[in-house]
Each structure stands twice: as C-alpha cells, then as structure tokens.
Amino acid sequence: MTPARRTSADVRIDVLSIFPDYLAPLDLSLVGRARRDGLLRLEVHDLRDWATDRHRTVDDTPVGGGAGMVMRADVWGAALDAVLATDGPTPSPGEPPRPILLVPTPAGAPLTQSRAQDLADELGAGTRLVIACGRYEGIDSRVAEHYAAAGLARVQEYSIGDYVLGGGEVAALVLVEAVARLLPGVVGNPESLVEESHGSAGLLEGPVYTRPLDWRGLIVPEVLRSGHHGRIARWRRDRGLERTAARRPDLLDRLDPGSLDRADKATLASCGWVDGGEGRLTRFEVRDAVPDDAAALAALAGATFPLACPPGVPVADVAAFVAAHLSPERWAGYLADPVGYVVVVAEAAARRPGLLGYVLVVLPSTADAEPVAADVAAAFAQRPAAELSKCYVVPGLQGTGLAGALLEAAHDRIAARTVEGHALAAVWLGTNRGNRRAQRFYRRHGYTAVGRRTFRVGDAPQEDLLMVRRMSPSGGGLVDAG
Ligand code: SAM
C-alpha cells in the first residue's frame, strides 16, 4: 500500500528564539511556499514569553565567572516543555517518534547534506523537529542534558561552519531550508536534487550555464551545446570530479572507489588521485625526478620491468637487462643528463611510501638524429622524435589511471622541449606485440601503430609493435627563438 502523503499537520518544525522576527524569511521562497501549500507546518516562538520577571530576562552570568551571559535553563525548560506539549504530528500506530531537539552551536557536529537528508526522512516519518536558538555564550548545558536523559527528545547539537555567529537564528534558517527542500513536493523537479553538490555521489557539482551562449566573449562550452546526452553527462561528471579534487579533497578521502568508472578514474588520476586499494582513494604527486631518486627508481624499475616481459624470456636474461639498463648507476646517469632524458615519477602524498610509477623518455641528441635502429627509423618520418623508453606503475595501481597521468605529464615535458631550436615533432615507442592492454592504453593517449621492430632482452628476439604520437597538429618545427 502506498503511504498517504503527509500534510503540514504532521510535518512540523518549531523554532524558539529571542528574535522571532529573525525567522521572517521562512515566509519566503521555497519554504514559504511549502508552508502555504500545506507541505510543512512551521511555528516560531518567542522565548521571552516564558520569562517570569518584569524585564522578561532569559540570561544570567556564568557560574564560575567569565565573560558574557548564559541563557537560563529554567526559562528554556518552561518553553520547551510547553512547545513539546502542543500538538505534534498525528501519531503513527505504535510508539510515536520522539521529537528531535536541535541545538545550533559552533561546538556541534557539522551539518551536512546527509544529516539534512536524515532529518528530512525523520520529518517525513512524523518526527517533530524543535530548534533552540541560543544567544550570548549559549544555553545552559543542562538543558540538552535533561531532554536527552529524560527521553523527552533526541538531542542533536549542530554547527553550520567553523566560525562563531552571534546567535542560532541563522543556523536555524540554514537547517530549515536545507531540510525542507528535501521534503517530497517542495522542489518542483526532484531530478534537480539528484546530481547536485554533496548528493549521493559525494562530489561537488561542476559549473553551470544558461543563455546567452556568448556573454561578454565568454562562450558556453561546446559540448553542452552539442545535444549529445552521453558527452554532456561525461563532461559534467569530469568537471565535478576536478572541482572536488581542487576545492574539497577531503570529500575524495571519503569517496568509495567502487562508485567510480574507468573514465572517472582517469579524470581523478589527472588530478592526482588513484584507487590505491583498501577501499580508499590515494593522493599522488607527479614530478620531475631528481638525482636523489636514483636508488628508488632502480628498485621500482627492477620490480616492474620483469613483470612486463613476455613469457619465455629466461629469468637470467631479464636480470641482465635490468642490471645493464636500470641499475642505480644507470639511473644516476639518466638523472644527471637532463638534456638527454626526461624522467617523471609519481609519488604517494602520504601513507604508501616510495615511488608509484615512472616514465623514462630518451631525447634525440640532434634535431635530425635518427632513432636507434633502422626498422624504427624507417617506420615514421617525423623528426626530431623522442623515444618513450619506459612507462611503468607498481602492479596494484595498474588500470587506475596513474600510468595515464604519468604519460600525459611526460608529453607535457616533451612538448616544452626543443632540440637545436626545433620542437619535438613526435614521440615513439615499442611495445610487445602480444601486450594488447598496453597497446589500447597508448592508443587512448594518441599513439598509432606504424610498424614493427625486433627488441632483444638477452638473446631472445621479441617482436614489438611500433607506435607514434605526433606532438602537435603541425608536427613540430623550428621554434621562433625571438
Ligand atoms: N560560547 C559559544 C562557543 O564558543 O561555542 C559561542 C556562542 S555564540 C556567540 C551564540 C550562539 O550562536 C550559539 O549558542 C549558537 O546558537 C549560535 N552559533 C554561533 N556560531 C554557530 C555555528 N557556527 N553554528 C551553529 N550555531 C552557531
């Protein structure tokens, strides 16, 4: 049976304050309309109505001394007893839900979208919310203690941010608006609640635009005008991921990597985040290697190179290759020669020590230098051409987007380099013919197959696919030295 829609008779919020006029905005906009439409009953009470002296006093000096005034427990107690005794929501069968007493305080738990959603669900289920707005140094602490201990209410102290306001009224406005818009029927199009910031995806929303499409020379991104729903959704998701990484990395710390698809992971990797296992994202940094990295690079290269060798290559040959080309001394040599080599590494920002991946690029010594072997030189014409010699990440981080982030960082370095005044026109690589996964990876990063070459680890000849990526649409050329 579909549950009957609740009306303002049973969706009720009470606010108590010494400045009831402060709550006047609750007559406006979404909340005001919800009240008028009978979706929400909202009562604002003047705390001073429960004061007992001629001056309607609600505060007194702090016991134990100190600056400021504290709001009296007896006045608050009288007010809350009276408000809680007034008509609550129609009790559902069984136990009527205990009201929730919400006490704004900078010392409370942060109000989040998920807490707002919980409160909206409670309201929808017939729980009354009562908000007690403090002033001065706050409300005598025994008030919260008493209502919780006596089982008269569930007490929740909440904060709307790490700053101190003069009173709880703004925090009450914030809570009512955040909760009310989540009540069924309050927001016209419930779809608009789905993909917004702090929604179920746990991300910030990306930028939004409307007409005019060209405003002061600022043009709405083409993809949003394309009418292609898939591309638009992807674009929005990517911008949300990037914005979250830039502005609220704490949200990514809490994101479940299982909720991310491959494209999400690639975007996050370009922002320095990968699925590091253990159900969490890991932050990493891509940087140019420095001479001190030689030993760590040798360890990483020595551990990863053998894993990528095709089956059948004798272990001794692999070890000899590593010793000859990837030893600490060889790495020290590469790192001491920044004209001849580009080395980019990825390093975990915390927790997991050591390097996570690396790229080694060999730059040509002259603008018209031919690639090492004749079969490579014959396969493509662009010069000067750099060789992408190695691109490896630790085994647990394959498929996370980390290698892509490293590769793109290497491309950026290559694009910024010149050889005898010439920009690099292309970068080439050889990858084992049987390694389809690697080939797909390089294709996604702009490489196309141009031929084959023979590559030796020890005596065993291996057949590699040669792939090339042009560095610019014009294919490079003389850089204007002026
Ligand atoms: N002495 C209190 C403390 O240091 O935690 C601050 C009291 S503040 C001046 C007065 C009232 O403003 C509080 O009782 C609370 O109702 C409200 N208030 C101030 N900052 C707030 C915040 N960040 N979130 C929620 N309520 C706040």
Side-chain angles (χ1 to χ4, degrees), residues 71 103-108 132-139 158-169 171:
M71 297 187 101
V103 185
T105 159
C133 301
R135 281 265 151 190
Y136 318 122
E137 292 309 317
I139 303 172
Y158 73 95
S159 163
I160 60 163
D162 293 343
Y163 39 77
V164 178
L165 303 165
E169 290 74 15

PDB file of all heavy atoms in Angstrom, residues 71 103-108 132-139 158-169 171, ligand 1:
ATOM      1  N   MET A  71      22.304  31.576  28.725  1.00  0.00           N
ATOM      2  CA  MET A  71      20.829  31.527  28.737  1.00  0.00           C
ATOM      3  C   MET A  71      20.353  30.552  29.817  1.00  0.00           C
ATOM      4  O   MET A  71      20.890  29.453  29.961  1.00  0.00           O
ATOM      5  CB  MET A  71      20.308  31.129  27.361  1.00  0.00           C
ATOM      6  CG  MET A  71      20.686  32.153  26.311  1.00  0.00           C
ATOM      7  SD  MET A  71      19.912  31.830  24.726  1.00  0.00           S
ATOM      8  CE  MET A  71      18.581  33.013  24.768  1.00  0.00           C
ATOM      9  N   VAL A 103      20.046  21.819  18.567  1.00  0.00           N
ATOM     10  CA  VAL A 103      20.647  22.961  19.243  1.00  0.00           C
ATOM     11  C   VAL A 103      21.831  23.453  18.422  1.00  0.00           C
ATOM     12  O   VAL A 103      22.875  22.798  18.368  1.00  0.00           O
ATOM     13  CB  VAL A 103      21.122  22.570  20.666  1.00  0.00           C
ATOM     14  CG1 VAL A 103      21.634  23.799  21.405  1.00  0.00           C
ATOM     15  CG2 VAL A 103      20.008  21.882  21.441  1.00  0.00           C
ATOM     16  N   PRO A 104      21.677  24.591  17.733  1.00  0.00           N
ATOM     17  CA  PRO A 104      22.814  25.110  16.972  1.00  0.00           C
ATOM     18  C   PRO A 104      23.906  25.581  17.915  1.00  0.00           C
ATOM     19  O   PRO A 104      23.621  26.238  18.910  1.00  0.00           O
ATOM     20  CB  PRO A 104      22.234  26.311  16.201  1.00  0.00           C
ATOM     21  CG  PRO A 104      20.789  26.385  16.521  1.00  0.00           C
ATOM     22  CD  PRO A 104      20.475  25.427  17.619  1.00  0.00           C
ATOM     23  N   THR A 105      25.123  25.218  17.614  1.00  0.00           N
ATOM     24  CA  THR A 105      26.278  25.665  18.403  1.00  0.00           C
ATOM     25  C   THR A 105      27.540  25.461  17.571  1.00  0.00           C
ATOM     26  O   THR A 105      27.650  24.452  16.861  1.00  0.00           O
ATOM     27  CB  THR A 105      26.408  24.883  19.732  1.00  0.00           C
ATOM     28  OG1 THR A 105      27.757  24.983  20.205  1.00  0.00           O
ATOM     29  CG2 THR A 105      26.070  23.413  19.606  1.00  0.00           C
ATOM     30  N   PRO A 106      28.483  26.402  17.664  1.00  0.00           N
ATOM     31  CA  PRO A 106      29.729  26.195  16.897  1.00  0.00           C
ATOM     32  C   PRO A 106      30.483  24.965  17.384  1.00  0.00           C
ATOM     33  O   PRO A 106      31.392  24.493  16.710  1.00  0.00           O
ATOM     34  CB  PRO A 106      30.524  27.478  17.151  1.00  0.00           C
ATOM     35  CG  PRO A 106      29.895  28.151  18.310  1.00  0.00           C
ATOM     36  CD  PRO A 106      28.482  27.688  18.400  1.00  0.00           C
ATOM     37  N   ALA A 107      30.088  24.440  18.548  1.00  0.00           N
ATOM     38  CA  ALA A 107      30.770  23.247  19.075  1.00  0.00           C
ATOM     39  C   ALA A 107      30.045  21.961  18.667  1.00  0.00           C
ATOM     40  O   ALA A 107      30.383  20.881  19.146  1.00  0.00           O
ATOM     41  CB  ALA A 107      30.837  23.341  20.599  1.00  0.00           C
ATOM     42  N   GLY A 108      29.046  22.071  17.760  1.00  0.00           N
ATOM     43  CA  GLY A 108      28.272  20.884  17.375  1.00  0.00           C
ATOM     44  C   GLY A 108      28.890  20.126  16.211  1.00  0.00           C
ATOM     45  O   GLY A 108      29.904  20.537  15.641  1.00  0.00           O
ATOM     46  N   ALA A 132      16.339  25.120  19.018  1.00  0.00           N
ATOM     47  CA  ALA A 132      16.513  26.040  20.145  1.00  0.00           C
ATOM     48  C   ALA A 132      17.670  26.984  19.832  1.00  0.00           C
ATOM     49  O   ALA A 132      18.835  26.583  19.898  1.00  0.00           O
ATOM     50  CB  ALA A 132      16.797  25.246  21.419  1.00  0.00           C
ATOM     51  N   CYS A 133      17.341  28.241  19.481  1.00  0.00           N
ATOM     52  CA  CYS A 133      18.388  29.185  19.073  1.00  0.00           C
ATOM     53  C   CYS A 133      19.000  29.863  20.293  1.00  0.00           C
ATOM     54  O   CYS A 133      18.313  30.603  21.008  1.00  0.00           O
ATOM     55  CB  CYS A 133      17.800  30.270  18.176  1.00  0.00           C
ATOM     56  SG  CYS A 133      17.034  29.634  16.688  1.00  0.00           S
ATOM     57  N   GLY A 134      20.292  29.619  20.487  1.00  0.00           N
ATOM     58  CA  GLY A 134      20.984  30.273  21.578  1.00  0.00           C
ATOM     59  C   GLY A 134      21.419  31.673  21.199  1.00  0.00           C
ATOM     60  O   GLY A 134      21.410  32.057  20.016  1.00  0.00           O
ATOM     61  N   ARG A 135      21.769  32.451  22.219  1.00  0.00           N
ATOM     62  CA  ARG A 135      22.401  33.781  22.064  1.00  0.00           C
ATOM     63  C   ARG A 135      23.449  33.902  23.159  1.00  0.00           C
ATOM     64  O   ARG A 135      23.600  32.983  23.981  1.00  0.00           O
ATOM     65  CB  ARG A 135      21.361  34.898  22.209  1.00  0.00           C
ATOM     66  CG  ARG A 135      20.519  35.117  20.971  1.00  0.00           C
ATOM     67  CD  ARG A 135      21.094  36.239  20.093  1.00  0.00           C
ATOM     68  NE  ARG A 135      20.783  36.026  18.691  1.00  0.00           N
ATOM     69  CZ  ARG A 135      21.320  36.747  17.706  1.00  0.00           C
ATOM     70  NH1 ARG A 135      22.168  37.720  17.964  1.00  0.00           N
ATOM     71  NH2 ARG A 135      21.017  36.488  16.455  1.00  0.00           N
ATOM     72  N   TYR A 136      24.124  34.986  23.229  1.00  0.00           N
ATOM     73  CA  TYR A 136      25.151  35.234  24.256  1.00  0.00           C
ATOM     74  C   TYR A 136      26.209  34.128  24.207  1.00  0.00           C
ATOM     75  O   TYR A 136      26.669  33.775  23.139  1.00  0.00           O
ATOM     76  CB  TYR A 136      24.508  35.369  25.645  1.00  0.00           C
ATOM     77  CG  TYR A 136      23.224  36.191  25.623  1.00  0.00           C
ATOM     78  CD1 TYR A 136      22.015  35.672  26.070  1.00  0.00           C
ATOM     79  CD2 TYR A 136      23.237  37.502  25.127  1.00  0.00           C
ATOM     80  CE1 TYR A 136      20.852  36.430  26.053  1.00  0.00           C
ATOM     81  CE2 TYR A 136      22.069  38.256  25.098  1.00  0.00           C
ATOM     82  CZ  TYR A 136      20.888  37.714  25.556  1.00  0.00           C
ATOM     83  OH  TYR A 136      19.737  38.441  25.506  1.00  0.00           O
ATOM     84  N   GLU A 137      26.510  33.519  25.373  1.00  0.00           N
ATOM     85  CA  GLU A 137      27.510  32.437  25.386  1.00  0.00           C
ATOM     86  C   GLU A 137      26.855  31.079  25.189  1.00  0.00           C
ATOM     87  O   GLU A 137      27.496  30.035  25.360  1.00  0.00           O
ATOM     88  CB  GLU A 137      28.300  32.452  26.702  1.00  0.00           C
ATOM     89  CG  GLU A 137      29.209  33.659  26.862  1.00  0.00           C
ATOM     90  CD  GLU A 137      30.109  33.876  25.659  1.00  0.00           C
ATOM     91  OE1 GLU A 137      30.665  32.899  25.144  1.00  0.00           O
ATOM     92  OE2 GLU A 137      30.219  35.041  25.216  1.00  0.00           O
ATOM     93  N   GLY A 138      25.587  31.082  24.843  1.00  0.00           N
ATOM     94  CA  GLY A 138      24.888  29.823  24.601  1.00  0.00           C
ATOM     95  C   GLY A 138      23.909  29.489  25.713  1.00  0.00           C
ATOM     96  O   GLY A 138      23.676  30.282  26.633  1.00  0.00           O
ATOM     97  N   ILE A 139      23.320  28.283  25.612  1.00  0.00           N
ATOM     98  CA  ILE A 139      22.271  27.842  26.529  1.00  0.00           C
ATOM     99  C   ILE A 139      22.918  27.004  27.647  1.00  0.00           C
ATOM    100  O   ILE A 139      23.811  26.181  27.362  1.00  0.00           O
ATOM    101  CB  ILE A 139      21.241  26.988  25.760  1.00  0.00           C
ATOM    102  CG1 ILE A 139      20.668  27.791  24.582  1.00  0.00           C
ATOM    103  CG2 ILE A 139      20.141  26.482  26.681  1.00  0.00           C
ATOM    104  CD1 ILE A 139      19.786  26.975  23.631  1.00  0.00           C
ATOM    105  N   TYR A 158      24.338  20.934  16.505  1.00  0.00           N
ATOM    106  CA  TYR A 158      24.924  21.003  15.168  1.00  0.00           C
ATOM    107  C   TYR A 158      25.553  22.363  14.915  1.00  0.00           C
ATOM    108  O   TYR A 158      25.144  23.369  15.486  1.00  0.00           O
ATOM    109  CB  TYR A 158      23.870  20.689  14.092  1.00  0.00           C
ATOM    110  CG  TYR A 158      22.856  21.793  13.874  1.00  0.00           C
ATOM    111  CD1 TYR A 158      23.027  22.742  12.867  1.00  0.00           C
ATOM    112  CD2 TYR A 158      21.729  21.895  14.683  1.00  0.00           C
ATOM    113  CE1 TYR A 158      22.109  23.753  12.659  1.00  0.00           C
ATOM    114  CE2 TYR A 158      20.796  22.905  14.487  1.00  0.00           C
ATOM    115  CZ  TYR A 158      20.996  23.828  13.477  1.00  0.00           C
ATOM    116  OH  TYR A 158      20.091  24.832  13.291  1.00  0.00           O
ATOM    117  N   SER A 159      26.553  22.348  14.044  1.00  0.00           N
ATOM    118  CA  SER A 159      27.249  23.582  13.665  1.00  0.00           C
ATOM    119  C   SER A 159      27.085  23.793  12.164  1.00  0.00           C
ATOM    120  O   SER A 159      27.077  22.829  11.397  1.00  0.00           O
ATOM    121  CB  SER A 159      28.741  23.451  13.999  1.00  0.00           C
ATOM    122  OG  SER A 159      29.476  24.436  13.307  1.00  0.00           O
ATOM    123  N   ILE A 160      26.969  25.054  11.753  1.00  0.00           N
ATOM    124  CA  ILE A 160      26.894  25.294  10.302  1.00  0.00           C
ATOM    125  C   ILE A 160      28.244  25.739   9.737  1.00  0.00           C
ATOM    126  O   ILE A 160      28.332  26.099   8.564  1.00  0.00           O
ATOM    127  CB  ILE A 160      25.783  26.307   9.927  1.00  0.00           C
ATOM    128  CG1 ILE A 160      26.018  27.658  10.596  1.00  0.00           C
ATOM    129  CG2 ILE A 160      24.416  25.735  10.263  1.00  0.00           C
ATOM    130  CD1 ILE A 160      25.201  28.775   9.935  1.00  0.00           C
ATOM    131  N   GLY A 161      29.286  25.692  10.518  1.00  0.00           N
ATOM    132  CA  GLY A 161      30.606  26.025   9.990  1.00  0.00           C
ATOM    133  C   GLY A 161      31.550  26.414  11.102  1.00  0.00           C
ATOM    134  O   GLY A 161      31.125  26.689  12.234  1.00  0.00           O
ATOM    135  N   ASP A 162      32.817  26.455  10.757  1.00  0.00           N
ATOM    136  CA  ASP A 162      33.844  26.737  11.758  1.00  0.00           C
ATOM    137  C   ASP A 162      34.037  28.240  11.918  1.00  0.00           C
ATOM    138  O   ASP A 162      35.084  28.793  11.547  1.00  0.00           O
ATOM    139  CB  ASP A 162      35.162  26.052  11.359  1.00  0.00           C
ATOM    140  CG  ASP A 162      35.038  24.539  11.420  1.00  0.00           C
ATOM    141  OD1 ASP A 162      34.081  24.052  12.056  1.00  0.00           O
ATOM    142  OD2 ASP A 162      35.887  23.847  10.834  1.00  0.00           O
ATOM    143  N   TYR A 163      33.039  28.894  12.431  1.00  0.00           N
ATOM    144  CA  TYR A 163      33.078  30.320  12.752  1.00  0.00           C
ATOM    145  C   TYR A 163      32.004  30.534  13.800  1.00  0.00           C
ATOM    146  O   TYR A 163      31.170  29.650  14.015  1.00  0.00           O
ATOM    147  CB  TYR A 163      32.794  31.189  11.506  1.00  0.00           C
ATOM    148  CG  TYR A 163      31.711  30.594  10.636  1.00  0.00           C
ATOM    149  CD1 TYR A 163      30.369  30.702  11.009  1.00  0.00           C
ATOM    150  CD2 TYR A 163      32.032  29.882   9.490  1.00  0.00           C
ATOM    151  CE1 TYR A 163      29.372  30.133  10.233  1.00  0.00           C
ATOM    152  CE2 TYR A 163      31.038  29.299   8.726  1.00  0.00           C
ATOM    153  CZ  TYR A 163      29.713  29.427   9.103  1.00  0.00           C
ATOM    154  OH  TYR A 163      28.740  28.845   8.349  1.00  0.00           O
ATOM    155  N   VAL A 164      32.033  31.697  14.443  1.00  0.00           N
ATOM    156  CA  VAL A 164      31.072  31.930  15.529  1.00  0.00           C
ATOM    157  C   VAL A 164      30.123  33.059  15.143  1.00  0.00           C
ATOM    158  O   VAL A 164      30.541  34.155  14.777  1.00  0.00           O
ATOM    159  CB  VAL A 164      31.817  32.273  16.845  1.00  0.00           C
ATOM    160  CG1 VAL A 164      30.816  32.553  17.964  1.00  0.00           C
ATOM    161  CG2 VAL A 164      32.742  31.133  17.242  1.00  0.00           C
ATOM    162  N   LEU A 165      28.845  32.738  15.192  1.00  0.00           N
ATOM    163  CA  LEU A 165      27.803  33.722  14.916  1.00  0.00           C
ATOM    164  C   LEU A 165      27.329  34.319  16.238  1.00  0.00           C
ATOM    165  O   LEU A 165      27.641  33.796  17.305  1.00  0.00           O
ATOM    166  CB  LEU A 165      26.620  33.041  14.231  1.00  0.00           C
ATOM    167  CG  LEU A 165      26.923  32.296  12.931  1.00  0.00           C
ATOM    168  CD1 LEU A 165      25.768  31.370  12.571  1.00  0.00           C
ATOM    169  CD2 LEU A 165      27.173  33.304  11.818  1.00  0.00           C
ATOM    170  N   GLY A 166      26.532  35.370  16.124  1.00  0.00           N
ATOM    171  CA  GLY A 166      26.013  35.992  17.342  1.00  0.00           C
ATOM    172  C   GLY A 166      24.863  35.212  17.950  1.00  0.00           C
ATOM    173  O   GLY A 166      24.547  35.348  19.127  1.00  0.00           O
ATOM    174  N   GLY A 167      24.210  34.389  17.146  1.00  0.00           N
ATOM    175  CA  GLY A 167      23.053  33.656  17.661  1.00  0.00           C
ATOM    176  C   GLY A 167      22.690  32.512  16.741  1.00  0.00           C
ATOM    177  O   GLY A 167      23.221  32.390  15.630  1.00  0.00           O
ATOM    178  N   GLY A 168      21.780  31.663  17.191  1.00  0.00           N
ATOM    179  CA  GLY A 168      21.446  30.451  16.444  1.00  0.00           C
ATOM    180  C   GLY A 168      20.415  30.633  15.341  1.00  0.00           C
ATOM    181  O   GLY A 168      20.099  29.676  14.621  1.00  0.00           O
ATOM    182  N   GLU A 169      19.900  31.881  15.176  1.00  0.00           N
ATOM    183  CA  GLU A 169      18.805  32.059  14.209  1.00  0.00           C
ATOM    184  C   GLU A 169      19.237  31.758  12.768  1.00  0.00           C
ATOM    185  O   GLU A 169      18.495  31.120  12.007  1.00  0.00           O
ATOM    186  CB  GLU A 169      18.236  33.490  14.294  1.00  0.00           C
ATOM    187  CG  GLU A 169      17.457  33.776  15.570  1.00  0.00           C
ATOM    188  CD  GLU A 169      18.360  33.948  16.800  1.00  0.00           C
ATOM    189  OE1 GLU A 169      19.591  34.132  16.631  1.00  0.00           O
ATOM    190  OE2 GLU A 169      17.836  33.883  17.928  1.00  0.00           O
ATOM    191  N   ALA A 171      21.599  29.818  11.878  1.00  0.00           N
ATOM    192  CA  ALA A 171      21.792  28.357  11.792  1.00  0.00           C
ATOM    193  C   ALA A 171      20.440  27.645  11.684  1.00  0.00           C
ATOM    194  O   ALA A 171      20.325  26.599  11.035  1.00  0.00           O
ATOM    195  CB  ALA A 171      22.567  27.864  13.006  1.00  0.00           C
TER     196      ALA A 171
HETATM  197  N1  SAM B   1      30.354  30.419  23.516  1.00  0.00           N
HETATM  198  C1  SAM B   1      29.949  29.632  22.392  1.00  0.00           C
HETATM  199  C2  SAM B   1      31.119  28.767  21.936  1.00  0.00           C
HETATM  200  O1  SAM B   1      32.254  29.261  21.977  1.00  0.00           O
HETATM  201  O2  SAM B   1      30.901  27.639  21.485  1.00  0.00           O
HETATM  202  C3  SAM B   1      29.519  30.533  21.246  1.00  0.00           C
HETATM  203  C4  SAM B   1      28.198  31.144  21.470  1.00  0.00           C
HETATM  204  S1  SAM B   1      27.652  32.036  20.094  1.00  0.00           S
HETATM  205  C5  SAM B   1      28.294  33.632  20.383  1.00  0.00           C
HETATM  206  C6  SAM B   1      25.948  32.254  20.409  1.00  0.00           C
HETATM  207  C7  SAM B   1      25.050  31.295  19.696  1.00  0.00           C
HETATM  208  O3  SAM B   1      25.191  31.431  18.309  1.00  0.00           O
HETATM  209  C8  SAM B   1      25.258  29.842  19.971  1.00  0.00           C
HETATM  210  O4  SAM B   1      24.633  29.438  21.162  1.00  0.00           O
HETATM  211  C9  SAM B   1      24.614  29.205  18.760  1.00  0.00           C
HETATM  212  O5  SAM B   1      23.220  29.125  18.919  1.00  0.00           O
HETATM  213  C10 SAM B   1      24.894  30.218  17.688  1.00  0.00           C
HETATM  214  N2  SAM B   1      26.037  29.884  16.822  1.00  0.00           N
HETATM  215  C11 SAM B   1      27.180  30.568  16.705  1.00  0.00           C
HETATM  216  N3  SAM B   1      28.002  30.041  15.798  1.00  0.00           N
HETATM  217  C12 SAM B   1      27.377  28.968  15.300  1.00  0.00           C
HETATM  218  C13 SAM B   1      27.720  27.996  14.347  1.00  0.00           C
HETATM  219  N4  SAM B   1      28.889  28.017  13.705  1.00  0.00           N
HETATM  220  N5  SAM B   1      26.835  27.020  14.074  1.00  0.00           N
HETATM  221  C14 SAM B   1      25.668  26.969  14.719  1.00  0.00           C
HETATM  222  N6  SAM B   1      25.269  27.879  15.653  1.00  0.00           N
HETATM  223  C15 SAM B   1      26.112  28.859  15.954  1.00  0.00           C
END
